[in-house]
């Protein structure tokens, strides 16, 4: 499952909590994030965004859609530095994979432009790019059965060989 900002998690258990005798009689997920050793307890009917992780076919569709998403990004380079955190935050808040891809492409383009112009990459672009890549690459790695570190090369190779 994909759980909020924690990313891809394994569902270890679904049941009533045993961690407190005062806990409400609600069903809880016991989640184990794939990248950490922590344990998360969250109500099945909670308010934090949660959805099934994508499968291999969905992952390949996401990758194959990257050129289309990239082609739809008109005018995002003109977003001012003060509006940028709000823009990136809104993209992440939708929890839509397409919007995470949009964020990655935008931040990457802005970073490349900054380097071409002899400027430093903004901290906002760096932070949001890292967050978005971490989330997307973790889910793609799981769906494709490859290490997270191989995802960028997998995407590049797939798009080049289409």
């Amino acid at each position: 499952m994909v759980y909020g900002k924690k990313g891809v998690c394994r569902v270890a258990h679904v049941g009533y909590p045993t961690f407190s005798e005062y806990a409400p009689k609600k069903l809880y997920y016991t989640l184990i994030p794939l990248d950490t050793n922590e344990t998360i307890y969250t109500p099945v009917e909670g308010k934090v965004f949660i959805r099934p992780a994508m499968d291999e076919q969905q992952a390949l569709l996401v990758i194959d859609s990257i050129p289309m998403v990239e082609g739809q990004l008109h005018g995002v380079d003109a977003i001012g530095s003060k509006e940028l955190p709000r823009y990136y935050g809104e993209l992440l808040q939708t929890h839509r994979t397409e919007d995470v891809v949009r964020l990655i492409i935008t931040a990457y383009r802005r970073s490349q432009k900054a380097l071409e112009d002899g400027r430093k990459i903004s901290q906002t672009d760096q932070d949001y790019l890292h967050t978005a890549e971490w989330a997307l690459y973790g889910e793609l790695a799981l769906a494709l059965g490859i290490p997270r570190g191989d995802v960028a090369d997998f995407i590049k190779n797939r798009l080049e060989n289409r």
Side-chain angles (χ1 to χ4, degrees):
M1 302 193 99
V2 176
Y3 176 73
K5 293 181 181 177
K6 292 293 183 178
V8 182
C9 298
R10 178 176 61 81
V11 179
H13 180 71
V14 179
Y16 296 101
T18 58
F19 50 82
S20 170
E21 63 185 73
Y22 303 107
K25 293 297 179 196
K26 292 186 195 175
L27 282 175
Y28 273 69
Y29 288 117
T30 302
L31 304 174
I32 312 294
L34 296 186
D35 295 328
T36 67
N37 291 327
E38 68 184 304
T39 300
I40 300 168
Y41 301 97
T42 187
V44 169
E45 300 294 326
K47 294 181 177 151
V48 176
F49 175 79
I50 192 166
R51 67 168 169 79
M54 67 179 90
D55 61 23
E56 182 179 11
Q57 182 180 3
Q58 292 167 320
L60 295 173
L61 287 171
V62 166
I63 293 167
D64 292 344
S65 75
I66 290 172
M68 182 192 70
V69 173
E70 193 168 17
Q72 296 171 346
L73 294 176
H74 302 289
V76 294
D77 298 330
I79 297 171
S81 59
K82 290 185 180 185
E83 296 88 21
L84 200 57
R86 183 180 57 78
Y87 174 72
Y88 285 160
E90 287 173 357
L91 290 175
L92 287 177
Q93 288 299 316
T94 69
H95 300 287
R96 292 178 53 218
T97 306
E98 179 181 310
D99 288 336
V100 175
V101 169
R102 183 174 284 117
L103 189 159
I104 291 169
I105 293 169
T106 301
Y108 180 78
R109 278 185 181 176
R110 288 176 51 86
S111 298
Q112 291 304 109
K113 178 81 169 113
L115 293 174
E116 288 169 9
D117 293 348
R119 295 180 288 115
K120 248 176 79 173
I121 299 170
S122 80
Q123 192 64 49
T124 300
D125 285 320
Q126 288 180 44
D127 291 346
Y128 279 95
L129 179 60
H130 174 76
T131 298
E133 285 181 335
W134 180 86
L136 182 63
Y137 289 9
E139 190 171 0
L140 290 175
L142 175 69
L144 299 169
I146 62 175
R148 180 191 293 266
D150 294 346
V151 170
D153 286 338
F154 183 94
I155 292 170
K156 181 180 176 199
N157 291 335
R158 182 162 175 95
L159 294 177
E160 284 176 353
N161 294 318
R162 286 184 57 198

